[in-house]
Amino acid sequence: MRLATIDNGTPDGALIVVSSDAERCLQAGGTLQQAMEGWPQVEPALRSLAGRLNDGEGEELDHGRLLAPLPRAWQWLDGSAFPQHGELMQQAFNLPPIETDRPLMYQGLSDRFLAPRADAPLPSEADGIDFEGEYGVITDAVPMGVTPEQAMAHIHLVVLINDWSLRTIAPVEMKTGFGWVQAKPACAAAPFAVTPEQLGEAWSGGRVHLPLHVTLNGQWFGSPNGREMAFGFHDLVAHAARTRDLVAGTIIGSGTVSNADYGTVGSACLSERRAIEMIESGAPQTPFMRFGDHIRIEAEGGIFGAIDQTVVGA
Amino acid sequence: MRLATIDNGTPDGALIVVSSDAERCLQAGGTLQQAMEGWPQVEPALRSLAGRLNDGEGEELDHGRLLAPLPRAWQWLDGSAFPQHGELMQQAFNLPPIETDRPLMYQGLSDRFLAPRADAPLPSEADGIDFEGEYGVITDAVPMGVTPEQAMAHIHLVVLINDWSLRTIAPVEMKTGFGWVQAKPACAAAPFAVTPEQLGEAWSGGRVHLPLHVTLNGQWFGSPNGREMAFGFHDLVAHAARTRDLVAGTIIGSGTVSNADYGTVGSACLSERRAIEMIESGAPQTPFMRFGDHIRIEAEGGIFGAIDQTVVGA
């Protein structure tokens, strides 16, 4: 089953169920946030709508009106679960390794997620504008102290996210130990939130086993696969819930997708490619984004739909 | 003018205006979040209700039903603006100074703020349970790139916060550079959100010039004054808005209140007192909180009402 949110002029939009060819939809009534708050009750009704779509019902889907699945969320916790990314950054910048056997995670801006085709308004090209292609999951309410096994049952939707990042500011904030505020403006999300079973074999071990195709200004940039997470999403959910109840509609991110064979599959952010260039030739060659630059991020097969954004001056 | 939120069974509660003796109130209709979203339109109506309270109108205020002013918020950004606190922590733990001339700030859990008299449910005494008494402000929508001077006009309410902290986890998370997730469970807030002009001379330079009286298990613990912030709240708001629009109802915190004459006025968190003990005698004497321990935090004069909480096992 695939869910999406269509712009109806309200902050949370209107929840729709989307047909398998993404050409038709049925209004579900209410919002995705409300669905996450009452998932056991709401899910059967949504699956019934999905069945009607399979039977050919539904109205034409207007892709231009699609918002992020959750246009705003009460909580966004972003991990950094791909070890290859961390290793490359440490090697390039001569940083000490982050000494932890725990998942890395920060609390991010959650009051807005940009629509899949919305411009990304940012204040300055000098900030080192970068994208980050990553997968994420949406949970219902999760009680404090769940095990990873218990956490798996709270993962109801999988999403695709572009975590906009400002690389000139990031190390300055990171050095304080306080995490990122200015370096992490609003993320965007691809339009379709997908139930895990809909991913079939691509959902395994709490990971999304699909390449993420990244295209920068019309040129192939990378296709790393989501399967190489050191921790599964269920581990990340349990980590987040160690000392807090998670509110329904919490979004948990994987961090930028990164693979051991980066030389072949490329990267899902500029910063990592620049790190590889620094390691290989002593200096980065690829510039950060300029106003007018364009990024497209889509999982293989297109099940989440595409993120398709242009950077503009705020 | 003083505003508060009363429990009516909904997640956001009901907005009320409170009389100057805190014994009567009038229902405002709607929620504080809605008021922040439409402040220029809503404020005159609220002030009219405050006038009627001054004339003796209103119903009896049931203090037991008071929630946090914003029982949930779309954004909570907490600073660490008292330099004395940072210096003591660095000295005690032999840490390198945080090299920055920028405000320190992290993004915190905002999906719930505990009621002023609610128990604080935490999973383990071994986590180093601590309170942090601090001031905060609530803004309306703030556009990206505001100056500190412009930011001042977006500060509409001042609040008092208990930023629950888990000190065994905090340094582990801080060392990663990602900021805190597990170390910062839900905060609590005192019941009354106060307009800056109501604070009179105690609101000056974007700072709250009032001692914060902290009482632990019935014993005086500290009375540090809010005036010693290195940055005013308007500076913190501008810092937060450097690369993002701030959503209406954003709460910005000062960090734990701390003064240069800590030997006389004491501290607003256990961690700082323990740091002073380590510096003075080589080892901390004051233990972290145990289940059943009780903390009371109130500004001099009581204008924000009191935070009055017991720690309980989750």
Side-chain angles (χ1 to χ4, degrees):
Chain A
M1 181 167 63
R2 291 200 290 179
L3 305 178
T5 293
I6 203 145
D7 191 358
N8 65 352
T10 67
D12 296 305
L15 178 61
I16 57 173
V17 185
V18 176
S19 65
S20 51
D21 60 4
E23 297 198 348
R24 286 166 297 112
C25 65
L26 281 168
Q27 296 268 345
T31 68
L32 181 53
Q33 176 61 37
Q34 290 167 336
M36 298 319 298
E37 290 168 3
W39 189 254
Q41 295 75 46
V42 175
E43 186 190 8
L46 296 176
R47 293 207 177 268
S48 157
L49 293 175
R52 287 169 50 193
L53 285 161
N54 281 343
D55 295 341
E57 282 189 56
E59 55 183 314
E60 193 186 349
L61 177 57
D62 180 352
H63 287 251
R65 287 176 59 207
L66 289 168
L67 301 176
L70 285 174
R72 54 182 182 177
W74 290 110
Q75 183 162 248
W76 157 238
L77 294 167
D78 194 12
S80 180
F82 290 89
Q84 186 60 59
H85 177 69
E87 284 166 29
L88 285 167
M89 301 307 281
Q90 284 158 23
Q91 198 181 337
F93 292 99
N94 203 19
L95 301 170
I98 296 177
E99 287 166 24
T100 180
D101 52 0
R102 299 150 40 96
L104 294 166
M105 186 175 284
Y106 69 93
Q107 183 125 19
L109 183 172
S110 68
D111 62 75
R112 72 200 69 189
F113 281 79
L114 301 175
R117 300 184 182 188
D119 289 343
L122 294 169
S124 169
E125 292 177 338
D127 289 339
I129 300 170
D130 199 358
F131 51 88
E132 278 195 4
E134 59 181 277
Y135 293 108
V137 297
I138 307 179
T139 72
D140 62 358
V142 179
M144 192 188 297
V146 289
T147 64
E149 291 64 35
Q150 292 165 337
M152 193 70 95
H154 291 282
I155 295 173
H156 297 303
L157 294 168
V158 184
V159 292
L160 174 57
I161 288 166
N162 181 10
D163 176 29
W164 285 104
S165 299
L166 300 173
R167 302 299 187 185
T168 310
I169 305 170
V172 178
E173 293 191 327
M174 198 171 179
K175 217 161 44 174
T176 68
F178 278 56
W180 302 286
V181 176
Q182 294 182 351
K184 293 287 187 180
C187 301
F192 306 130
V194 182
T195 49
E197 103 287 339
Q198 186 78 31
L199 290 169
E201 292 184 356
W203 177 253
S204 175
R207 295 155 171 88
V208 182
H209 296 238
L210 285 175
L212 202 57
H213 296 305
V214 180
T215 309
L216 177 62
N217 292 328
Q219 304 285 316
W220 177 85
F221 186 85
S223 301
N225 193 301
R227 69 190 160 210
E228 291 186 24
M229 289 168 75
F231 298 93
F233 278 111
H234 55 308
D235 297 309
L236 300 185
V237 172
H239 178 83
R242 161 74 171 75
T243 64
R244 63 178 68 177
D245 297 321
L246 304 187
V247 65
T250 289
I251 313 176
I252 307 251
S254 66
T256 187
V257 178
S258 177
N259 288 172
D261 60 341
Y262 55 83
T264 307
V265 300
S267 299
C269 67
L270 284 165
S271 183
E272 184 175 301
R273 178 185 276 193
R274 287 167 55 92
I276 295 165
E277 291 167 348
M278 288 167 72
I279 293 162
E280 291 179 350
S281 71
Q285 279 97 50
T286 306
F288 287 118
M289 292 178 88
R290 308 290 298 266
F291 296 150
D293 281 351
H294 178 260
I295 185 72
R296 184 180 170 91
I297 305 174
E298 189 169 25
E300 184 148 302
I303 195 165
F304 303 101
I307 293 165
D308 207 339
Q309 299 191 273
T310 301
V311 177
V312 299
Chain B
M1 180 167 64
R2 291 201 291 179
L3 305 178
T5 294
I6 202 144
D7 191 358
N8 65 353
T10 67
D12 297 305
L15 177 61
I16 57 173
V17 186
V18 176
S19 65
S20 51
D21 61 4
E23 296 198 348
R24 287 166 297 113
C25 65
L26 281 168
Q27 297 267 345
T31 68
L32 181 53
Q33 177 61 36
Q34 291 167 336
M36 298 319 298
E37 290 167 4
W39 189 254
Q41 295 76 46
V42 175
E43 186 190 7
L46 296 176
R47 294 207 178 269
S48 156
L49 292 175
R52 287 170 51 192
L53 285 161
N54 282 344
D55 295 341
E57 282 188 56
E59 56 182 313
E60 192 185 350
L61 177 58
D62 181 351
H63 288 250
R65 287 176 60 207
L66 290 168
L67 301 176
L70 285 174
R72 55 182 181 175
W74 291 110
Q75 183 162 249
W76 156 238
L77 294 167
D78 194 12
S80 181
F82 290 90
Q84 186 61 59
H85 177 70
E87 286 166 28
L88 286 167
M89 301 307 280
Q90 285 159 21
Q91 198 181 337
F93 292 99
N94 202 20
L95 301 170
I98 295 177
E99 287 166 25
T100 181
D101 53 0
R102 300 149 40 95
L104 294 166
M105 186 175 285
Y106 69 93
Q107 182 125 19
L109 185 171
S110 68
D111 63 76
R112 71 200 68 189
F113 281 79
L114 302 174
R117 299 183 182 189
D119 289 343
L122 293 169
S124 170
E125 292 177 338
D127 289 338
I129 300 169
D130 198 359
F131 51 88
E132 277 195 7
E134 60 180 278
Y135 293 109
V137 297
I138 307 179
T139 72
D140 62 358
V142 179
M144 192 188 299
V146 289
T147 64
E149 292 64 35
Q150 292 165 337
M152 193 71 94
H154 290 282
I155 295 173
H156 297 304
L157 294 168
V158 184
V159 292
L160 175 58
I161 288 166
N162 181 11
D163 176 28
W164 285 104
S165 300
L166 300 174
R167 302 299 187 184
T168 309
I169 305 170
V172 178
E173 292 192 326
M174 198 170 178
K175 219 162 41 174
T176 67
F178 279 56
W180 301 286
V181 175
Q182 293 182 352
K184 293 287 187 180
C187 300
F192 306 130
V194 182
T195 49
E197 103 287 339
Q198 185 78 31
L199 290 169
E201 293 183 356
W203 177 251
S204 175
R207 294 156 171 89
V208 182
H209 295 239
L210 285 175
L212 202 57
H213 296 304
V214 180
T215 308
L216 177 62
N217 291 329
Q219 303 285 315
W220 177 85
F221 187 84
S223 301
N225 193 301
R227 68 190 161 211
E228 291 185 26
M229 289 167 76
F231 297 93
F233 278 111
H234 55 309
D235 297 309
L236 300 185
V237 172
H239 178 82
R242 162 74 172 75
T243 63
R244 63 177 70 177
D245 298 323
L246 303 187
V247 66
T250 289
I251 313 176
I252 307 251
S254 67
T256 186
V257 178
S258 177
N259 287 171
D261 61 340
Y262 55 82
T264 307
V265 301
S267 299
C269 67
L270 284 165
S271 183
E272 183 174 301
R273 177 184 278 192
R274 287 167 55 92
I276 294 165
E277 291 166 348
M278 287 167 73
I279 294 163
E280 291 179 350
S281 71
Q285 279 97 50
T286 306
F288 287 117
M289 293 178 86
R290 307 290 299 267
F291 296 150
D293 281 352
H294 178 260
I295 184 72
R296 184 180 170 91
I297 305 174
E298 190 170 23
E300 184 147 302
I303 195 165
F304 302 100
I307 293 166
D308 207 339
Q309 297 190 274
T310 301
V311 177
V312 299

